[in-house]
């Protein structure tokens, strides 16, 4: 049966701009696909290419392409640290740098930065009775976009950007996992503990079961947490990663503790400013890794927080952050730079209300391949069978190491978009999108491998 499917796909691809359905799945799914040669824009495969579908995480290609065009590959996000001498105040100006103490970069960056900040304070004689403040004038009014699922908001992959971010805006909840199944699980601890967390604020409805997978979801509602679902039995203390509530306050508390360890004492509680009344003097600037590195991590590891932080930073260096305002700015840039008009509600693809067509996505890919930043964009993508979210695609097949792309998955959604270096030496841009999938993701991935293999072989 699989051989017949492969032959069917091969026959369909032998004609230019084939209209045949790319994958033979359950028949209930909605599919769209387009593949075109980068050098002359010739179409080599087309099926429902203008139909808009939910893109999931291939949305990150839109965001990263725009920020590369806007800032350039060597750009670094700068968090300025200033002082107001008369008020003995240390001020942190956050501009949505998601990389501080990130698991993807340097987990101890803030500790190193605290050394420099403490030494600067000692040089100016400001070591005691200091007030620590943050300019929160850019902090988003609403933490979540209007079209995001509630079930995603409390889980680590749903962490949203704040002006100041540390530890990927996430924390870890440890549930007690007894030997018996169908038993409610108490919370052992939360590390790091959120600022202002009170015992009992996390209401656990989690039970044990016989399986091995983490089936727990955490929901946030104001200062209250709710944990539901299942975790494996007989695990002692079982870890579940969660969004960090009050993430800006977590950053400030972490910085304060590090400075206290270095001889700086504080006389007042941490403050949040909406608008600073006076201009402070900069004593230090915390610089992120280069945009090249951030974009590569965003695309290869599919980090929602990074993509949405880049979206917020790209606009909110000058004005207050709002989801609608920042997304509209992204859409405007996509229209101006790439002449595409997708429906977007975030920059990461976590919203199931996003919509784009394979034709629009492929248009962006072709234009990026001809831009000044083509090499940086190309290198930010996962490699089939080898790296990133493409490590399982095409492993051991002819396309291993030949496809450079981004994947996107949500419930019932499987998408891939990127480039394939064909056997002839020419490069093609492609986008394939599957919605309403009732087969397994693995089955869809296997058929997409066959589809890409035929493109690779015949072009």
């Amino acid at each position: 049966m699989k051989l017949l499917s492969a032959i069917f796909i091969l026959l369909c691809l032998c004609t230019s701009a084939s209209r045949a359905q790319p994958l033979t799945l359950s028949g209930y799914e909605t599919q769209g696909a387009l593949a075109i040669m980068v050098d002359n824009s010739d179409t080599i495969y087309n099926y429902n290419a203008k139909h808009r579908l939910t893109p999931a995480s291939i949305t990150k290609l839109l965001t990263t392409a725009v920020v590369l065009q806007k800032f350039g590959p060597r750009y670094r996000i700068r968090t300025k640290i200033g002082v107001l001498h008369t008020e003995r105040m240390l001020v942190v100006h956050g501009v949505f740098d998601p990389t501080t103490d990130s698991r993807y970069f340097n987990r101890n960056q803030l500790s190193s930065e605290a050394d420099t900040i403490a030494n600067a304070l000692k040089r100016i004689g400001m070591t005691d009775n200091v007030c620590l403040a943050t300019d929160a004038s850019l902090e988003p009014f609403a933490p979540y976009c209007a079209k995001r699922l509630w079930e995603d908001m409390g889980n680590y992959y749903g962490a949203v950007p704040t002006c100041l971010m540390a530890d990927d805006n996430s924390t870890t909840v440890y549930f007690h996992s007894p030997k018996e199944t169908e038993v409610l699980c108490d919370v052992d601890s939360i590390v790091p503990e959120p600022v202002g967390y009170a015992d009992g604020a996390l209401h656990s409805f989690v039970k044990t079961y016989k399986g091995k997978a983490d089936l727990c979801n955490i929901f946030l509602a104001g200062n209250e947490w709710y944990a539901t679902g299942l975790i494996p039995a007989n695990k002692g203390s079982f870890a579940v990663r969660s969004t960090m509530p009050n993430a800006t306050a977590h950053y400030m508390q972490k910085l304060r503790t590090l400075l206290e360890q270095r001889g700086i004492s504080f006389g007042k509680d941490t403050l949040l400013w909406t608008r600073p009344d006076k201009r402070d003097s900069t004593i230090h600037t915390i610089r992120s890794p280069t945009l090249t590195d951030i974009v590569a991590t965003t695309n290869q590891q599919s980090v929602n927080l990074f993509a949405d932080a880049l979206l917020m930073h790209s606009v909110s260096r000058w004005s207050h952050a709002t989801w609608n305002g920042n997304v509209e700015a992204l859409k405007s840039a996509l229209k101006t730079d790439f002449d595409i008009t997708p429906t977007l509600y975030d920059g990461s693809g976590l919203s199931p209300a996003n919509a784009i067509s394979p034709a629009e996505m492929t248009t962006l890919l072709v234009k990026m391949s001809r831009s000044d930043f083509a090499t940086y964009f190309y290198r930010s993508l996962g490699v089939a069978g080898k790296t990133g979210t493409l490590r399982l695609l095409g492993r051991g097949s002819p396309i291993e190491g030949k496809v450079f792309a981004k994947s996107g998955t949500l419930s019932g959604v499987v998408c891939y978009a990127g480039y394939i270096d064909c056997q002839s030496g020419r490069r093609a841009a492609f986008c394939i999108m599957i919605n309403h999938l009732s087969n397994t993701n693995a089955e869809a991935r296997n058929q997409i491998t066959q589809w890409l293999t035929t493109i690779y072989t015949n072009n």
Side-chain angles (χ1 to χ4, degrees):
M1 186 65 184
K2 290 185 177 180
L3 178 60
L4 290 175
S5 297
I7 293 172
F8 174 76
I9 295 170
L10 178 62
L11 291 173
C12 292
L13 286 168
C14 287
T15 57
S16 177
S18 171
R19 297 296 303 174
Q21 183 171 279
L23 274 59
T24 55
L25 296 168
S26 67
Y28 295 105
E29 67 283 339
T30 304
Q31 302 184 41
L34 182 66
I36 61 179
M37 301 307 300
V38 165
D39 53 9
N40 59 8
S41 296
D42 280 351
T43 299
I44 55 178
Y45 189 92
N46 180 341
Y47 179 79
N48 287 344
K50 292 186 178 181
H51 287 204
R52 285 192 167 178
L53 300 167
T54 300
S57 280
I58 64 172
T59 302
K60 294 178 178 69
L61 296 177
L62 309 179
T63 305
T64 53
V66 166
V67 297
L68 273 175
Q69 295 271 60
K70 184 171 185 176
F71 298 119
R74 295 179 180 83
Y75 178 81
R76 297 175 188 266
I77 301 173
R78 291 169 170 78
T79 302
K80 292 186 177 181
I81 313 295
V83 294
L84 281 169
H85 293 270
T86 54
E87 283 82 2
R88 301 188 66 77
M89 185 176 287
L90 183 68
V91 186
V92 186
H93 297 273
V95 285
F96 299 98
D97 177 4
T99 66
T100 304
D101 287 5
S102 168
R103 62 198 291 253
Y104 300 103
F105 289 101
N106 180 1
R107 292 302 299 261
N108 298 308
Q109 181 190 7
L110 201 56
S111 179
S112 299
E113 304 291 354
D115 288 336
T116 305
I117 296 168
N119 289 335
L121 290 173
K122 290 173 182 177
R123 282 196 296 270
I124 62 176
M126 199 167 117
T127 59
D128 62 293
N129 202 33
V130 176
C131 175
L132 181 61
T134 177
D135 174 6
S137 60
L138 302 181
E139 195 79 1
F141 288 121
Y144 298 100
C145 72
K147 300 292 185 178
R148 187 162 287 184
L149 296 178
W150 189 43
E151 68 184 56
D152 292 329
M153 294 180 183
N155 298 299
Y156 73 95
Y157 60 82
V160 292
T162 47
C163 282
L164 294 168
M165 290 175 262
D167 303 303
D168 300 302
N169 277 10
S170 65
T171 186
T172 301
V173 180
Y174 292 90
F175 293 94
H176 177 65
S177 169
K179 294 180 180 180
E180 300 80 11
T181 60
E182 295 294 320
V183 177
L184 279 172
C185 303
D186 294 329
V187 177
D188 283 341
S189 61
I190 304 176
V191 182
E193 187 172 289
V195 175
Y197 175 78
D199 288 340
L202 197 161
H203 307 282
S204 175
F205 301 94
V206 176
K207 290 186 176 182
T208 52
Y209 81 120
K210 291 182 179 180
K212 297 180 180 180
D214 172 6
L215 302 179
C216 174
N217 279 307
I218 296 177
F219 303 88
L220 300 180
N223 292 325
E224 299 292 308
W225 293 12
Y226 299 88
T228 65
L230 303 170
I231 62 172
N234 197 26
K235 292 294 183 180
S237 190
F238 187 82
V240 176
R241 289 182 63 207
S242 166
T243 294
M244 170 68 78
N246 304 319
T248 295
H250 167 68
Y251 180 107
M252 295 294 283
Q253 183 60 54
K254 188 171 188 177
L255 177 60
R256 174 173 175 160
T257 299
L258 290 168
L259 290 174
E260 286 174 335
Q261 293 170 354
R262 288 155 177 78
I264 309 299
S265 64
F266 295 86
K268 296 181 181 179
D269 291 334
T270 299
L271 300 178
L272 295 178
W273 280 354
T274 54
R275 288 289 177 188
D277 297 325
K278 299 179 181 179
R279 191 179 186 89
D280 54 80
S281 302
T282 300
I283 60 168
H284 181 56
T285 300
I286 299 175
R287 292 174 171 81
S288 75
T290 64
L291 188 57
T292 296
D293 292 334
I294 299 174
V295 165
T297 300
T298 301
N299 286 335
Q300 291 183 22
Q301 304 300 324
S302 201
V303 186
N304 296 319
L305 177 66
F306 280 25
D308 285 324
L310 290 175
L311 170 67
M312 290 293 179
H313 175 77
S314 65
V315 176
S316 300
R317 296 186 305 156
W318 304 282
S319 62
H320 197 99
T322 65
W323 282 98
N324 287 344
N326 286 49
V327 168
E328 286 302 315
L330 173 62
K331 290 163 64 177
S332 177
L334 290 169
K335 173 62 177 174
T336 300
D337 296 344
F338 303 103
D339 196 27
I340 61 175
T341 56
T343 299
L344 295 176
Y345 294 94
D346 63 18
S348 63
L350 196 54
S351 171
N354 293 337
I356 190 172
S357 69
E360 290 173 306
M361 182 61 74
T362 309
T363 294
L364 178 137
L365 292 169
V366 170
K367 291 190 176 182
M368 281 303 294
S369 72
R370 299 170 181 171
S371 77
D372 293 338
F373 310 112
T375 299
Y376 303 99
F377 187 68
Y378 190 71
R379 290 176 180 172
S380 77
L381 305 175
V383 182
K386 295 181 178 295
T387 63
T389 60
L390 261 69
R391 63 188 179 278
L392 297 179
L393 179 74
R395 181 177 291 175
S397 77
I399 66 165
E400 181 175 340
K402 304 297 183 181
V403 173
F404 304 82
K406 177 80 188 73
S407 66
T409 58
L410 289 172
S411 179
V413 175
V414 174
C415 303
Y416 286 88
Y419 306 95
I420 179 167
D421 289 345
C422 299
Q423 198 168 37
S424 66
R426 299 173 70 194
R427 178 170 295 170
F430 74 91
C431 177
I432 183 166
M433 304 176 69
I434 316 298
N435 284 190
H436 315 297
L437 180 69
S438 57
N439 294 64
T440 65
N441 286 8
E443 174 62 20
R445 188 168 60 242
N446 289 338
Q447 291 202 33
I448 290 170
T449 296
Q450 295 175 24
W451 183 74
L452 289 169
T453 298
T454 308
I455 292 175
Y456 166 76
T457 304
N458 290 356
N459 295 279

